[in-house]
Amino acid sequence: MLAARPGRPLTAAELAREVDITRTTCHSLLMTLADAGYLVRDPRSKAYTLGPALIGLGRAARRSFPSIQLARGELERLHRRTGMASTATAVVGGDIIVIDRVGEEDDVAATRRGQRTPLAAPFGALHVAWSGREEVASWVDRTTEELTDQRYAEYDRLLAAIRRQRYTVSPLDEAGILLRGRLLELAADVASDDLRTMALALASALRSRDYLPDELAPGRQVGVDTVAAPVFDAGARPDFVVALQVQRDQVSTDEVAALASDLLDATRRMTRLVGGGEPASEVVEGLARSGPRP
């Protein structure tokens, strides 16, 4: 909560209300964090701000993802060019984690650093599109949605399209985005496997798959959450994914194409900066014939 509002001190009562915990629990947590240097308490206002111990954690986190540091200048340039917040996500274990963000985070529905999403269809298509058949099939099978022959075919078409055009466009549902974010936070925090499974199932139900190419035909108006593209590593596999946070309910498909062009220019430069390489065309075609099957 404090990281989302840098420079704005909050009292214990305000924090307890915002994160929906009791004041007693909140006070105990705040005192512990302040003692460790992660928070600082103003003795006059009794309000809390972020503390100096977080600087060391930030440095350690950056060392865990060195490629994003090499490419951060391009992430900032993309933000300035488009005027939109830009995020970078990477796969860690079985989750997709937001490892960086450039742009305002005041919106309650904003994607924030550290936010986790399960690597399971329909989430993370860009992260798995250049993977082998077994990895792709596992990604699809981890979904909590009902898998029909039609759904498998849609994912097959989507992954093939991603390998051709190198980007995705995800649909917008403002209420769904807000609720999905809360459900994903719940799934990451709860200890109960049953509750985690239920939260992920609900989050998946609120997230439509990315648009297929024919759904973005010229002359249309569509709701757009994000436009995203991968940055490739030295093995020509996605290292991390960059997303423009469009979040508008009426976007012309011509504007979508223009945003995708700006994004692809940026991710190509990032790929060069991190020493990566673009997938060879013959590899793309080979994978296009080995997508998920029921």
Side-chain angles (χ1 to χ4, degrees):
M1 184 62 63
L2 289 165
R5 305 173 183 184
R8 178 186 165 187
L10 294 173
T11 66
E14 290 171 327
L15 285 163
R17 183 171 60 253
E18 291 284 352
V19 301
D20 194 23
I21 58 177
T22 67
R23 289 194 183 190
T24 301
T25 299
C26 187
H27 178 74
S28 177
L29 292 170
L30 290 171
M31 292 298 291
T32 302
L33 291 168
D35 287 344
Y38 296 128
L39 299 180
V40 173
R41 181 175 181 265
D42 186 298
R44 287 195 285 186
S45 68
K46 314 299 184 193
Y48 290 84
T49 55
L50 298 178
L54 291 170
I55 296 172
L57 286 181
R59 288 172 179 159
R62 285 196 295 271
R63 287 196 295 272
S64 298
F65 301 100
S67 55
I68 190 59
Q69 296 309 302
L70 293 172
R72 197 171 201 278
E74 287 296 336
L75 197 66
E76 292 171 344
R77 182 186 299 179
L78 180 65
H79 167 57
R80 290 193 300 270
R81 179 175 176 80
T82 63
M84 298 174 182
S86 305
T87 60
T89 60
V91 174
V92 180
D95 291 330
I96 306 160
I97 298 181
V98 179
I99 58 174
D100 205 354
R101 178 188 172 99
V102 176
E104 294 298 322
E105 298 187 42
D106 290 340
D107 185 351
V108 69
T111 301
R112 296 183 173 87
R113 293 180 187 85
Q115 183 171 315
R116 291 173 175 265
T117 305
L119 184 61
F123 304 106
L126 274 170
H127 289 282
V128 301
W130 285 267
S131 299
R133 179 188 178 93
E134 289 186 4
E135 291 174 83
V136 172
S138 177
W139 171 74
V140 175
D141 290 341
R142 282 196 296 271
T143 186
T144 55
E145 63 184 342
E146 181 180 356
L147 288 173
T148 62
D149 288 354
Q150 179 181 355
R151 202 61 165 162
Y152 271 104
E154 286 180 352
Y155 279 124
D156 206 4
R157 289 171 58 204
L158 175 64
L159 295 175
I162 289 172
R163 292 188 288 265
R164 288 194 304 273
Q165 64 189 18
R166 308 293 176 91
Y167 68 89
T168 60
V169 181
S170 62
L172 177 72
D173 173 0
E174 293 185 7
I177 290 170
L178 180 59
L179 181 54
R180 189 171 68 243
R182 296 296 178 262
L183 287 167
L184 292 173
E185 290 173 5
L186 175 64
D189 291 342
V190 297
S192 165
D193 288 339
D194 289 343
L195 189 54
R196 174 180 167 84
T197 300
M198 184 186 302
L200 293 180
L202 289 170
S204 296
L206 291 166
R207 168 66 155 88
S208 302
R209 58 150 177 77
D210 299 308
Y211 286 116
L212 293 168
D214 57 2
E215 295 171 322
L216 296 171
R220 293 192 61 191
Q221 296 281 326
V222 293
V224 178
D225 181 15
T226 63
V227 180
V231 173
F232 295 99
D233 62 18
R237 297 282 295 271
D239 187 356
F240 57 92
V241 166
V242 175
L244 283 172
Q245 305 294 310
V246 183
Q247 296 181 336
R248 285 165 41 204
D249 60 3
Q250 289 291 312
V251 185
S252 73
T253 47
D254 289 342
E255 184 180 353
V256 171
L259 288 171
S261 178
D262 286 341
L263 176 62
L264 288 171
D265 285 344
T267 53
R268 289 188 186 105
R269 287 193 294 270
M270 293 182 200
T271 292
R272 291 194 293 271
L273 284 169
V274 304
E278 298 282 336
S281 58
E282 62 269 19
V283 173
V284 172
E285 290 304 314
L287 285 170
R289 291 192 294 270
S290 64
R293 292 290 187 271

